[in-house]
Structure formats: C-alpha cells, structure tokens
Amino acid sequence: MNKSLPMTDHLQASTDIGVRRTLARWDGESQRIRSPVLRYGFSVVSVAIGLGLALTFQYYQFRDVEVPILALSIALTTWYAGVGPAALAIVLSTAGFDYFFAEPIYSFSVSSKDLPYFLVFLAWGLIVASFSAVRRRIEDSLRQARDHLQVELEQRKHREDEIRKLNQELVRQAAELEASNKELESFAYSVSHDLRAPLRHVVGYSELLQKQASSLLDDKSRRYMQTILESSKRMGNLIDDLLGFSRIGRAETKKTAVNLEQLIRQVVAELGQETSGRDIAWKIGALPVCYGDRSMLKVVLVNLVSNAVKFTRMRAPAEIEIGCADGKENQVEVFVRDNGAGFDMQYANKLFGVFQRLHRSEEFEGTGIGLATAQRIIHRHGGKIRAEGAVDQGATFYFSLPKAYDGSEKTAGNIR
C-alpha cells in the first residue's frame, strides 16, 4: 500500500507538468496565426482597416494621421502574422499611401515634391516591421525560456518532494533497524545469561559424579563422563564469547588518541604465558597514533594476535609480524601476519561470521566469535577489516582506523 502511493503521486505530478506544457504552448500559439490563408488575409484586412481609418480622419480634417495608422497596421501584421504578411502589408500600405495621400492623389505616381515624404513613410514602415519582428522573436524566446524554467522548477520541486519522502522513509527504516538490532542483542544477552545457570548445574553435578562414582564406572562410562564435561565447558566458553559479542554492540564507544605501538606491546606481553616455551620470532614495526576506544581496540589486537599464536603452533620457528601498511589519507591500516596454517581464500567470507570456523576444533581450539567481535569493533570505528592467506602459507589480517587529530597527537596526556 505504501509503495503505490508514491507511484500515484508521481503519475499525478507528471500529468500536471504535461498540462502546464500544453497550456504554455497554446498560450504561445494563440498569439500568432498559423494558417497561411488567415495570415495573409489578416494582412490585407489590417491594411484595409488602417486605410479606412486614415481616410475617415482625413474626412474630418485630421492632418498627418495616415502614417501612424498605417504603421500600426504594419506592426500588428508583423506581430500576429509574421514576416511574409508583414512584407505584403508594407507593399499594400505603400500603395494605399501613394494612391490616397501622396500628390497627385488617386494616382500611383509620386511627384518630386512628395517623393521624400513617400520615402519617409516607406522607411518608417520597414523600421516598424523590423522592430516588431525582432521584438516578437525576443518575446517568443523569453516566453519559451519562462515556460521551460517553470517546467524545470516544477520537476525540481517534484524531485525534492520525492527525495524528502525517501529520506523520511530511510530515517524510519534506520530507526526500525536500530530497534530490531537492540532487541536482538538484548535477546542474545538474555538467552546467553539464562543459559549459564543450568550449564553450571550440568558441569557441577558431572564433576561430583566423576569424583564420587569414578570407581564404580568402567572405562567407557568414564570416557562418556569426560566428554560431557568437555562439551559443557566448551558450551560455557561459547556463552561467554556470545555475551562478550553482545556487550560490544551495547557498549558506548569512548574515543581518544591511542598509541597502537604501546598497546600491541602490552598485548604481546599479556600473551606471554601462552607463548612460553615456544620459538616465536616477533617483528613489531612502527605503529602510529590512531583515534578510537582503547579497550575495544585492545580486544581486536588480542583476538588477532592470539589467533596468530594459535595457528602457528605447528611452526618452528613461528613468525608473527605486526606493522602498518599504506592506508588512505585520513586512515591508518594495521596488519598482523603469520606463517601458520593459513586458510583457503574461497572461504574468506566465512571468517568473520559468528561461530564460523575453517579448522576442526580437534586441531585448533576456539569458538569462532573472536573475528566476528573484531569486525564489529572495527566497523563501529568507521574502518574495515579483511584477510588474505593460503593453506599452509600463513595469513594476514588488515584493519583500518581513523588517524588521530593533530591536536590529539601533540597532547601527551590524551595518548593512552
């Protein structure tokens, strides 16, 4: 129903514009006679009426009125009938002036005395006709330009109305989408939170059963019990990660200038327990100051670096490089590169999905939410995240962030 209304409005507006164009064209055509017979007939009638008026005024002793009256006939003919009838009007007016008003009267011959007067009349008729024709062309052009502008204004107003309606519809849809996202996040948070209590019961009673009845169970039953405990703990990790993913969407972003190099060294130091005893070659390049939420960006770096540590477990030595690539003028692009297990690029679009995994859980642990969380954080900062890799040849993750303002970079107290 909502879609049919704009279509109806569009058809109505198009009809109104067409009617205005037709009326404008009729208005222009009504001021000029189109039929050749009527045009030249109008010329003859106009000159005849002019001669009649001039003779009438002469009969009542009005002097020197024939020139303006015949000039008016020529001007009217030029205005309404065009150039051809105007030429005929000049010829007829000149002949009539010569016959009725130039000496000798009632003769088409002109005396030498009245020849200048006759030539002045002829020149005056030509001048009046030319000025009328020029003015007619100018007014026609102005009228066409006015009509065109009027139609353009109507079309522009109609387009602006359509754009305004579309903007209002987009605002409404954006508000609905935002409300739906909040409802989904609240639902996911509530469900995840409510699942933790029964899961704790499962884990707790399974552990009690394992301790108290272990001696009464055979190897197969103990293996079943261990599988229940491991699956329950893995489900607990999934719920915790899902809660963290939901919190990212609900948390308020507090943006400041962040020293990425300092932050990445802190993350590497905190992962020292996971990397103890391993042969890892770290290469950390110079990283700029960016603008964002420090705690959220730390989550991104923890996820990417811990992934690099995890997927290089089978490499000796493992190589992990963190640096800055060439980004846009107002953005920085950071990369985390490793020589680990890598992935097939045809499945790259699955990397950032919730619970999406490209490796079996028996090979590499994890819940499949870390990269989805990282993507959500980067998107909230107005950046993008992408991945490149090949099977058994490592992977590289890139993410972009807005650069810090100059004032923020110079203020040491704002850099965290």
Side-chain angles (χ1 to χ4, degrees):
M1 185 66 179
N2 292 335
K3 292 183 179 179
S4 62
L5 291 178
M7 181 62 69
T8 304
D9 295 341
H10 179 73
L11 294 175
Q12 182 65 32
S14 301
T15 304
D16 293 341
I17 293 173
V19 170
R20 289 189 179 92
R21 285 179 174 174
T22 303
L23 291 176
R25 185 169 61 252
W26 287 353
D27 179 66
E29 290 180 352
S30 64
Q31 299 188 29
R32 172 166 291 185
I33 303 172
R34 295 297 177 182
S35 173
V37 175
L38 293 178
R39 288 167 58 200
Y40 285 94
F42 181 84
S43 175
V44 174
V45 171
S46 178
V47 172
I49 293 174
L51 286 174
L53 289 175
L55 291 172
T56 302
F57 282 116
Q58 188 183 49
Y59 176 79
Y60 288 103
Q61 304 300 318
F62 288 94
R63 299 292 181 180
D64 301 326
V65 295
E66 60 273 6
V67 173
I69 290 177
L70 292 176
L72 179 61
S73 300
I74 295 172
L76 291 175
T77 303
T78 307
W79 186 262
Y80 286 101
V83 177
L88 177 61
I90 292 174
V91 171
L92 294 177
S93 297
T94 303
F97 180 81
D98 179 26
Y99 188 80
F100 291 105
F101 304 103
E103 295 292 340
I105 299 176
Y106 307 124
S107 172
F108 288 107
S109 61
V110 181
S111 64
S112 57
K113 180 181 178 181
D114 288 335
L115 181 61
Y117 185 56
F118 175 79
L119 294 177
V120 167
F121 170 79
L122 180 61
W124 180 251
L126 293 173
I127 292 172
V128 169
S130 62
F131 272 103
S132 298
V134 171
R135 183 178 175 181
R136 177 65 187 183
R137 285 196 300 269
I138 293 174
E139 291 202 0
D140 285 344
S141 300
L142 290 175
R143 186 180 296 106
Q144 291 175 1
R146 181 201 64 190
D147 296 339
H148 181 71
L149 286 176
Q150 186 176 0
V151 172
E152 289 293 329
L153 288 174
E154 293 292 337
Q155 291 177 342
R156 180 175 297 181
K157 183 179 178 182
H158 177 62
R159 288 194 295 266
E160 289 176 353
D161 292 340
E162 287 185 339
I163 292 173
R164 190 179 299 108
K165 291 178 181 178
L166 290 175
N167 288 335
Q168 293 174 353
E169 182 68 18
L170 287 175
V171 170
R172 184 186 64 80
Q173 292 180 356
E176 292 179 354
L177 181 60
E178 184 178 359
S180 299
N181 288 336
K182 289 182 178 179
E183 290 177 0
L184 287 173
E185 290 174 357
S186 300
F187 175 76
Y189 183 85
S190 300
V191 170
S192 301
H193 189 272
D194 294 341
L195 286 175
R196 300 179 82 175
L199 185 62
R200 281 196 300 266
H201 293 163
V202 172
V203 174
Y205 284 113
S206 297
E207 290 178 345
L208 288 174
L209 184 61
Q210 189 181 41
K211 290 179 181 179
Q212 296 179 5
S214 178
S215 59
L216 302 177
L217 300 175
D218 56 11
D219 292 340
K220 189 175 184 179
S221 298
R222 282 193 291 270
R223 190 168 61 253
Y224 289 161
M225 186 64 63
Q226 186 63 31
T227 301
I228 292 174
L229 281 172
E230 291 177 356
S231 298
S232 299
K233 291 178 180 179
R234 184 171 182 273
M235 186 175 179
N237 293 332
L238 286 172
I239 292 174
D240 291 339
D241 289 346
L242 185 59
L243 283 172
F245 183 75
S246 299
R247 289 192 189 101
I248 291 297
R250 297 155 61 91
E252 181 181 357
T253 304
K254 300 178 180 179
K255 294 184 179 181
T256 58
V258 181
N259 190 323
L260 286 179
E261 187 171 350
Q262 177 185 352
L263 186 59
I264 195 64
R265 293 188 183 278
Q266 180 181 347
V267 170
V268 171
E270 292 177 359
L271 294 175
Q273 185 176 357
E274 297 182 24
T275 60
S276 61
R278 289 187 51 187
D279 184 9
I280 300 179
W282 293 95
K283 183 179 179 181
I284 301 176
L287 297 174
V289 175
C290 70
Y291 192 68
D293 188 296
R294 189 178 189 277
S295 59
M296 289 188 178
L297 294 180
K298 184 178 180 181
V299 173
V300 173
L301 293 174
V302 167
N303 283 323
L304 295 182
V305 176
S306 61
N307 271 358
V309 171
K310 177 172 61 177
F311 289 106
T312 56
R313 184 181 301 156
M314 309 303 293
R315 297 288 187 267
E319 298 177 0
I320 300 177
E321 181 183 0
I322 305 164
C324 184
D326 294 333
K328 297 180 180 179
E329 182 179 355
N330 59 341
Q331 287 187 330
V332 296
E333 189 172 52
V334 181
F335 67 86
V336 178
R337 181 179 293 120
D338 64 71
N339 64 337
F343 61 91
D344 192 339
M345 281 296 291
Q346 66 176 325
Y347 303 114
N349 59 329
K350 294 185 177 181
L351 283 173
F352 302 99
V354 180
F355 300 136
Q356 294 289 338
R357 293 176 53 85
L358 300 185
H359 302 85
R360 292 180 299 175
S361 58
E362 294 82 3
E363 296 177 332
F364 301 100
E365 71 280 0
T367 58
I369 297 183
L371 290 178
T373 302
Q375 184 187 55
R376 172 171 282 197
I377 293 173
I378 295 301
H379 284 177
R380 288 192 64 176
H381 283 74
K384 294 182 180 179
I385 186 169
R386 59 189 176 90
E388 297 176 357
V391 178
D392 292 329
Q393 296 182 20
T396 304
F397 287 85
Y398 300 88
F399 64 90
S400 58
L401 293 169
K403 287 183 179 178
Y405 301 124
D406 294 339
S408 299
E409 293 179 358
K410 295 178 182 178
T411 306
N414 290 338
I415 300 178
R416 304 174 60 187

mmCIF file of all heavy atoms in Angstrom, residues 239-273:
data_model
loop_
_atom_site.group_PDB
_atom_site.id
_atom_site.type_symbol
_atom_site.label_atom_id
_atom_site.label_comp_id
_atom_site.label_asym_id
_atom_site.label_seq_id
_atom_site.Cartn_x
_atom_site.Cartn_y
_atom_site.Cartn_z
ATOM 1 N N ILE A 239 29.094 -19.452 25.396
ATOM 2 C CA ILE A 239 28.163 -18.496 26.010
ATOM 3 C C ILE A 239 28.902 -17.241 26.449
ATOM 4 O O ILE A 239 28.428 -16.108 26.244
ATOM 5 C CB ILE A 239 27.436 -19.150 27.194
ATOM 6 C CG1 ILE A 239 26.490 -20.243 26.681
ATOM 7 C CG2 ILE A 239 26.663 -18.126 27.999
ATOM 8 C CD1 ILE A 239 25.837 -21.053 27.785
ATOM 9 N N ASP A 240 30.092 -17.434 27.051
ATOM 10 C CA ASP A 240 30.884 -16.270 27.473
ATOM 11 C C ASP A 240 31.252 -15.400 26.276
ATOM 12 O O ASP A 240 31.162 -14.168 26.334
ATOM 13 C CB ASP A 240 32.141 -16.733 28.199
ATOM 14 C CG ASP A 240 31.822 -17.353 29.550
ATOM 15 O OD1 ASP A 240 30.735 -17.063 30.079
ATOM 16 O OD2 ASP A 240 32.652 -18.127 30.053
ATOM 17 N N ASP A 241 31.678 -16.048 25.183
ATOM 18 C CA ASP A 241 32.044 -15.269 23.988
ATOM 19 C C ASP A 241 30.824 -14.589 23.380
ATOM 20 O O ASP A 241 30.920 -13.461 22.875
ATOM 21 C CB ASP A 241 32.708 -16.187 22.959
ATOM 22 C CG ASP A 241 34.097 -16.628 23.393
ATOM 23 O OD1 ASP A 241 34.640 -16.017 24.336
ATOM 24 O OD2 ASP A 241 34.638 -17.584 22.805
ATOM 25 N N LEU A 242 29.688 -15.267 23.408
ATOM 26 C CA LEU A 242 28.475 -14.658 22.868
ATOM 27 C C LEU A 242 28.051 -13.460 23.706
ATOM 28 O O LEU A 242 27.606 -12.434 23.175
ATOM 29 C CB LEU A 242 27.351 -15.687 22.809
ATOM 30 C CG LEU A 242 26.047 -15.237 22.154
ATOM 31 C CD1 LEU A 242 26.292 -14.815 20.717
ATOM 32 C CD2 LEU A 242 25.011 -16.356 22.200
ATOM 33 N N LEU A 243 28.203 -13.572 25.022
ATOM 34 C CA LEU A 243 27.907 -12.435 25.894
ATOM 35 C C LEU A 243 28.847 -11.273 25.595
ATOM 36 O O LEU A 243 28.431 -10.115 25.537
ATOM 37 C CB LEU A 243 28.032 -12.857 27.362
ATOM 38 C CG LEU A 243 26.869 -13.670 27.941
ATOM 39 C CD1 LEU A 243 27.228 -14.185 29.326
ATOM 40 C CD2 LEU A 243 25.617 -12.826 27.999
ATOM 41 N N GLY A 244 30.123 -11.595 25.421
ATOM 42 C CA GLY A 244 31.075 -10.535 25.074
ATOM 43 C C GLY A 244 30.745 -9.886 23.742
ATOM 44 O O GLY A 244 30.840 -8.668 23.582
ATOM 45 N N PHE A 245 30.320 -10.684 22.759
ATOM 46 C CA PHE A 245 29.934 -10.164 21.447
ATOM 47 C C PHE A 245 28.731 -9.240 21.570
ATOM 48 O O PHE A 245 28.656 -8.194 20.922
ATOM 49 C CB PHE A 245 29.631 -11.338 20.517
ATOM 50 C CG PHE A 245 29.295 -10.933 19.112
ATOM 51 C CD1 PHE A 245 30.282 -10.517 18.237
ATOM 52 C CD2 PHE A 245 27.990 -10.975 18.653
ATOM 53 C CE1 PHE A 245 29.981 -10.145 16.939
ATOM 54 C CE2 PHE A 245 27.675 -10.607 17.364
ATOM 55 C CZ PHE A 245 28.676 -10.199 16.503
ATOM 56 N N SER A 246 27.759 -9.616 22.425
ATOM 57 C CA SER A 246 26.581 -8.777 22.628
ATOM 58 C C SER A 246 26.949 -7.487 23.351
ATOM 59 O O SER A 246 26.408 -6.422 23.046
ATOM 60 C CB SER A 246 25.531 -9.541 23.428
ATOM 61 O OG SER A 246 25.119 -10.702 22.743
ATOM 62 N N ARG A 247 27.867 -7.568 24.308
ATOM 63 C CA ARG A 247 28.264 -6.367 25.046
ATOM 64 C C ARG A 247 28.933 -5.352 24.126
ATOM 65 O O ARG A 247 28.786 -4.142 24.320
ATOM 66 C CB ARG A 247 29.217 -6.744 26.182
ATOM 67 C CG ARG A 247 28.553 -7.493 27.321
ATOM 68 C CD ARG A 247 29.492 -7.574 28.522
ATOM 69 N NE ARG A 247 28.965 -8.472 29.541
ATOM 70 C CZ ARG A 247 29.383 -9.719 29.717
ATOM 71 N NH1 ARG A 247 30.343 -10.200 28.937
ATOM 72 N NH2 ARG A 247 28.860 -10.462 30.664
ATOM 73 N N ILE A 248 29.676 -5.836 23.141
ATOM 74 C CA ILE A 248 30.344 -4.914 22.198
ATOM 75 C C ILE A 248 29.308 -4.054 21.482
ATOM 76 O O ILE A 248 29.488 -2.847 21.275
ATOM 77 C CB ILE A 248 31.188 -5.697 21.182
ATOM 78 C CG1 ILE A 248 32.395 -6.344 21.869
ATOM 79 C CG2 ILE A 248 31.662 -4.792 20.048
ATOM 80 C CD1 ILE A 248 33.359 -5.370 22.478
ATOM 81 N N GLY A 249 28.183 -4.662 21.085
ATOM 82 C CA GLY A 249 27.145 -3.895 20.393
ATOM 83 C C GLY A 249 26.405 -2.941 21.308
ATOM 84 O O GLY A 249 25.852 -1.944 20.849
ATOM 85 N N ARG A 250 26.396 -3.219 22.624
ATOM 86 C CA ARG A 250 25.665 -2.388 23.563
ATOM 87 C C ARG A 250 26.549 -1.360 24.239
ATOM 88 O O ARG A 250 26.048 -0.375 24.797
ATOM 89 C CB ARG A 250 25.026 -3.274 24.641
ATOM 90 C CG ARG A 250 24.007 -4.248 24.094
ATOM 91 C CD ARG A 250 23.857 -5.467 24.992
ATOM 92 N NE ARG A 250 23.394 -5.113 26.317
ATOM 93 C CZ ARG A 250 22.123 -5.057 26.674
ATOM 94 N NH1 ARG A 250 21.192 -5.363 25.786
ATOM 95 N NH2 ARG A 250 21.767 -4.731 27.894
ATOM 96 N N ALA A 251 27.857 -1.583 24.212
ATOM 97 C CA ALA A 251 28.775 -0.705 24.948
ATOM 98 C C ALA A 251 28.919 0.639 24.247
ATOM 99 O O ALA A 251 28.843 0.747 23.015
ATOM 100 C CB ALA A 251 30.141 -1.364 25.093
ATOM 101 N N GLU A 252 29.143 1.677 25.025
ATOM 102 C CA GLU A 252 29.356 3.014 24.493
ATOM 103 C C GLU A 252 30.812 3.177 24.080
ATOM 104 O O GLU A 252 31.726 2.746 24.794
ATOM 105 C CB GLU A 252 29.007 4.061 25.552
ATOM 106 C CG GLU A 252 29.171 5.504 25.073
ATOM 107 C CD GLU A 252 28.847 6.506 26.169
ATOM 108 O OE1 GLU A 252 28.435 6.058 27.270
ATOM 109 O OE2 GLU A 252 29.010 7.704 25.925
ATOM 110 N N THR A 253 31.035 3.764 22.920
ATOM 111 C CA THR A 253 32.390 3.951 22.417
ATOM 112 C C THR A 253 32.953 5.266 22.944
ATOM 113 O O THR A 253 32.386 6.329 22.711
ATOM 114 C CB THR A 253 32.395 3.960 20.880
ATOM 115 O OG1 THR A 253 31.803 2.763 20.402
ATOM 116 C CG2 THR A 253 33.813 4.059 20.347
ATOM 117 N N LYS A 254 34.075 5.179 23.654
ATOM 118 C CA LYS A 254 34.758 6.362 24.185
ATOM 119 C C LYS A 254 36.076 6.525 23.431
ATOM 120 O O LYS A 254 37.056 5.845 23.711
ATOM 121 C CB LYS A 254 35.004 6.213 25.685
ATOM 122 C CG LYS A 254 33.719 6.040 26.502
ATOM 123 C CD LYS A 254 34.024 5.837 27.980
ATOM 124 C CE LYS A 254 32.732 5.659 28.780
ATOM 125 N NZ LYS A 254 33.006 5.435 30.222
ATOM 126 N N LYS A 255 36.068 7.412 22.467
ATOM 127 C CA LYS A 255 37.210 7.541 21.569
ATOM 128 C C LYS A 255 38.222 8.558 22.100
ATOM 129 O O LYS A 255 37.846 9.657 22.528
ATOM 130 C CB LYS A 255 36.756 7.943 20.171
ATOM 131 C CG LYS A 255 35.923 6.874 19.477
ATOM 132 C CD LYS A 255 35.572 7.260 18.058
ATOM 133 C CE LYS A 255 34.777 6.171 17.378
ATOM 134 N NZ LYS A 255 34.446 6.520 15.972
ATOM 135 N N THR A 256 39.493 8.155 22.057
ATOM 136 C CA THR A 256 40.615 9.026 22.400
ATOM 137 C C THR A 256 41.762 8.710 21.459
ATOM 138 O O THR A 256 41.661 7.814 20.614
ATOM 139 C CB THR A 256 41.068 8.789 23.860
ATOM 140 O OG1 THR A 256 41.431 7.409 24.010
ATOM 141 C CG2 THR A 256 39.969 9.142 24.858
ATOM 142 N N ALA A 257 42.856 9.437 21.590
ATOM 143 C CA ALA A 257 44.058 9.116 20.826
ATOM 144 C C ALA A 257 44.737 7.910 21.480
ATOM 145 O O ALA A 257 45.001 7.900 22.675
ATOM 146 C CB ALA A 257 45.007 10.310 20.805
ATOM 147 N N VAL A 258 45.002 6.873 20.669
ATOM 148 C CA VAL A 258 45.556 5.618 21.185
ATOM 149 C C VAL A 258 46.887 5.341 20.504
ATOM 150 O O VAL A 258 46.970 5.336 19.268
ATOM 151 C CB VAL A 258 44.579 4.448 20.941
ATOM 152 C CG1 VAL A 258 45.154 3.148 21.501
ATOM 153 C CG2 VAL A 258 43.222 4.738 21.567
ATOM 154 N N ASN A 259 47.927 5.097 21.303
ATOM 155 C CA ASN A 259 49.246 4.723 20.788
ATOM 156 C C ASN A 259 49.215 3.227 20.494
ATOM 157 O O ASN A 259 49.312 2.391 21.400
ATOM 158 C CB ASN A 259 50.324 5.060 21.811
ATOM 159 C CG ASN A 259 51.719 4.908 21.231
ATOM 160 O OD1 ASN A 259 51.971 4.009 20.434
ATOM 161 N ND2 ASN A 259 52.622 5.785 21.641
ATOM 162 N N LEU A 260 49.095 2.854 19.216
ATOM 163 C CA LEU A 260 48.951 1.448 18.848
ATOM 164 C C LEU A 260 50.207 0.642 19.153
ATOM 165 O O LEU A 260 50.123 -0.529 19.537
ATOM 166 C CB LEU A 260 48.619 1.340 17.355
ATOM 167 C CG LEU A 260 47.200 1.718 16.943
ATOM 168 C CD1 LEU A 260 47.050 1.577 15.437
ATOM 169 C CD2 LEU A 260 46.179 0.852 17.659
ATOM 170 N N GLU A 261 51.369 1.253 18.984
ATOM 171 C CA GLU A 261 52.609 0.512 19.248
ATOM 172 C C GLU A 261 52.706 0.133 20.729
ATOM 173 O O GLU A 261 53.064 -0.995 21.081
ATOM 174 C CB GLU A 261 53.812 1.357 18.830
ATOM 175 C CG GLU A 261 55.128 0.605 18.913
ATOM 176 C CD GLU A 261 56.278 1.378 18.302
ATOM 177 O OE1 GLU A 261 56.017 2.414 17.655
ATOM 178 O OE2 GLU A 261 57.428 0.955 18.480
ATOM 179 N N GLN A 262 52.370 1.061 21.596
ATOM 180 C CA GLN A 262 52.379 0.771 23.026
ATOM 181 C C GLN A 262 51.337 -0.283 23.365
ATOM 182 O O GLN A 262 51.589 -1.193 24.173
ATOM 183 C CB GLN A 262 52.117 2.058 23.812
ATOM 184 C CG GLN A 262 52.041 1.871 25.320
ATOM 185 C CD GLN A 262 51.663 3.167 26.024
ATOM 186 O OE1 GLN A 262 51.604 4.220 25.413
ATOM 187 N NE2 GLN A 262 51.400 3.074 27.307
ATOM 188 N N LEU A 263 50.174 -0.195 22.746
ATOM 189 C CA LEU A 263 49.100 -1.139 23.029
ATOM 190 C C LEU A 263 49.454 -2.539 22.551
ATOM 191 O O LEU A 263 49.190 -3.532 23.255
ATOM 192 C CB LEU A 263 47.811 -0.655 22.372
ATOM 193 C CG LEU A 263 46.539 -1.461 22.674
ATOM 194 C CD1 LEU A 263 46.258 -1.478 24.167
ATOM 195 C CD2 LEU A 263 45.353 -0.895 21.913
ATOM 196 N N ILE A 264 50.075 -2.671 21.377
ATOM 197 C CA ILE A 264 50.395 -4.000 20.862
ATOM 198 C C ILE A 264 51.478 -4.663 21.699
ATOM 199 O O ILE A 264 51.464 -5.880 21.928
ATOM 200 C CB ILE A 264 50.813 -3.924 19.370
ATOM 201 C CG1 ILE A 264 50.784 -5.303 18.745
ATOM 202 C CG2 ILE A 264 52.172 -3.306 19.197
ATOM 203 C CD1 ILE A 264 49.440 -5.944 18.686
ATOM 204 N N ARG A 265 52.425 -3.891 22.205
ATOM 205 C CA ARG A 265 53.453 -4.473 23.069
ATOM 206 C C ARG A 265 52.833 -4.946 24.389
ATOM 207 O O ARG A 265 53.250 -5.966 24.946
ATOM 208 C CB ARG A 265 54.557 -3.457 23.306
ATOM 209 C CG ARG A 265 55.344 -3.138 22.041
ATOM 210 C CD ARG A 265 56.569 -2.275 22.313
ATOM 211 N NE ARG A 265 57.248 -1.930 21.071
ATOM 212 C CZ ARG A 265 58.110 -2.741 20.440
ATOM 213 N NH1 ARG A 265 58.389 -3.940 20.948
ATOM 214 N NH2 ARG A 265 58.685 -2.357 19.315
ATOM 215 N N GLN A 266 51.844 -4.245 24.870
ATOM 216 C CA GLN A 266 51.147 -4.675 26.077
ATOM 217 C C GLN A 266 50.405 -5.985 25.827
ATOM 218 O O GLN A 266 50.414 -6.890 26.677
ATOM 219 C CB GLN A 266 50.171 -3.585 26.532
ATOM 220 C CG GLN A 266 49.395 -3.934 27.788
ATOM 221 C CD GLN A 266 48.417 -2.836 28.175
ATOM 222 O OE1 GLN A 266 48.476 -1.727 27.653
ATOM 223 N NE2 GLN A 266 47.509 -3.150 29.088
ATOM 224 N N VAL A 267 49.759 -6.101 24.667
ATOM 225 C CA VAL A 267 49.041 -7.327 24.328
ATOM 226 C C VAL A 267 49.996 -8.502 24.207
ATOM 227 O O VAL A 267 49.732 -9.603 24.719
ATOM 228 C CB VAL A 267 48.249 -7.131 23.018
ATOM 229 C CG1 VAL A 267 47.689 -8.454 22.513
ATOM 230 C CG2 VAL A 267 47.119 -6.133 23.220
ATOM 231 N N VAL A 268 51.147 -8.297 23.545
ATOM 232 C CA VAL A 268 52.130 -9.368 23.394
ATOM 233 C C VAL A 268 52.657 -9.810 24.759
ATOM 234 O O VAL A 268 52.844 -11.008 25.023
ATOM 235 C CB VAL A 268 53.280 -8.910 22.474
ATOM 236 C CG1 VAL A 268 54.411 -9.924 22.471
ATOM 237 C CG2 VAL A 268 52.766 -8.697 21.055
ATOM 238 N N ALA A 269 52.869 -8.853 25.649
ATOM 239 C CA ALA A 269 53.345 -9.195 26.994
ATOM 240 C C ALA A 269 52.308 -10.006 27.754
ATOM 241 O O ALA A 269 52.641 -10.961 28.480
ATOM 242 C CB ALA A 269 53.690 -7.916 27.755
ATOM 243 N N GLU A 270 51.030 -9.670 27.626
ATOM 244 C CA GLU A 270 49.979 -10.402 28.328
ATOM 245 C C GLU A 270 49.803 -11.811 27.783
ATOM 246 O O GLU A 270 49.321 -12.704 28.499
ATOM 247 C CB GLU A 270 48.658 -9.640 28.233
ATOM 248 C CG GLU A 270 48.647 -8.328 29.011
ATOM 249 C CD GLU A 270 47.349 -7.570 28.846
ATOM 250 O OE1 GLU A 270 46.475 -8.070 28.114
ATOM 251 O OE2 GLU A 270 47.212 -6.483 29.452
ATOM 252 N N LEU A 271 50.159 -12.027 26.512
ATOM 253 C CA LEU A 271 50.078 -13.365 25.929
ATOM 254 C C LEU A 271 51.335 -14.178 26.178
ATOM 255 O O LEU A 271 51.503 -15.259 25.597
ATOM 256 C CB LEU A 271 49.826 -13.267 24.419
ATOM 257 C CG LEU A 271 48.471 -12.687 23.990
ATOM 258 C CD1 LEU A 271 48.423 -12.538 22.476
ATOM 259 C CD2 LEU A 271 47.330 -13.556 24.464
ATOM 260 N N GLY A 272 52.194 -13.668 27.032
ATOM 261 C CA GLY A 272 53.464 -14.364 27.285
ATOM 262 C C GLY A 272 53.276 -15.754 27.852
ATOM 263 O O GLY A 272 54.067 -16.670 27.556
ATOM 264 N N GLN A 273 52.237 -15.977 28.674
ATOM 265 C CA GLN A 273 52.018 -17.291 29.257
ATOM 266 C C GLN A 273 51.680 -18.328 28.188
ATOM 267 O O GLN A 273 52.117 -19.475 28.266
ATOM 268 C CB GLN A 273 50.900 -17.212 30.299
ATOM 269 C CG GLN A 273 50.674 -18.523 31.061
ATOM 270 C CD GLN A 273 49.625 -18.379 32.144
ATOM 271 O OE1 GLN A 273 49.101 -17.284 32.355
ATOM 272 N NE2 GLN A 273 49.335 -19.466 32.843
#
